[in-house]
Amino acid sequence: MRIQKSSPNSAAAAATELKQGNVIIIPTDTIYGFSGLIGKTAESIARIKGRAENKPFIALIAEPADIYYYTDIKIPERILNLWPAPLTLIVPLKGQGTQAFRCPADNWLRSVIAASEDAVYSTSVNRSGMPPLTDIEAICREFEDSVSLIVDDGNLEGLPSTLVDLTSGTPCVLRQGAVVID
């Protein structure tokens, strides 16, 4: 199914699909992303992309403070206060492991995440090893049979998010993207 982002029920439709455990394609504050609930859809997303299952996905959160549901690390305020933005932070998880999180700048997307009641995986819409698709018609042709919903916001060609590793306690910029951190 395809729905326009501008449709009054688009956010509710996207959240419903996510809560049902489905993989969808939605516009983010950078480019289109395959999305599904964290912890429930990684295998399905990896299969659609043709990507190794052990390669992690970014998790999107609705509000900056939501990161503390997942980590105990104290994030420097100068970094945390940049959110919401196309800024991805890699943090140690409570328990073990690490996860990359982003609180996107798009209010529509944050409303979808909030209504989903959990963090949402996001990864570029493409086959593994290929460049991200930015043309909505190409996305639909390639993936409409692989996902339950595509939210159409026209063609998107945003800059990638800035990627900052906080696992050592000291911020380390791994990729300078849309948000400049010096």
Side-chain angles (χ1 to χ4, degrees), residues 9-82:
N9 65 334
S10 65
T16 296
E17 291 296 320
L18 290 169
K19 288 172 83 170
Q20 291 174 354
N22 295 324
V23 176
I24 64 175
I25 294 174
I26 53 178
T28 72
D29 54 344
T30 55
I31 58 175
Y32 281 96
F34 286 116
S35 294
L37 287 183
I38 189 170
K40 298 178 182 171
T41 56
E43 185 177 298
S44 297
I45 295 170
R47 186 174 51 254
I48 294 167
K49 283 184 71 90
R51 177 175 167 172
E53 289 182 31
N54 61 347
K55 191 172 179 186
F57 299 115
I58 292 172
L60 303 178
I61 54 177
E63 297 297 331
D66 291 351
I67 194 155
Y68 292 114
Y69 293 129
Y70 305 96
T71 188
D72 290 325
I73 192 171
K74 175 69 174 146
I75 298 169
E77 282 194 36
R78 72 177 181 87
I79 303 278
L80 189 62
N81 288 340
L82 294 172

Side-chain angles (χ1 to χ4, degrees), residues 121-149:
Y121 285 132
S122 182
T123 183
S124 60
V125 175
N126 60 306
R127 300 284 181 201
S128 187
M130 301 300 292
L133 294 174
T134 57
D135 179 274
I136 189 63
E137 296 306 325
I139 289 169
C140 291
R141 279 192 306 274
E142 182 77 18
F143 294 108
E144 69 184 339
D145 293 334
S146 302
V147 298
S148 63
L149 177 68

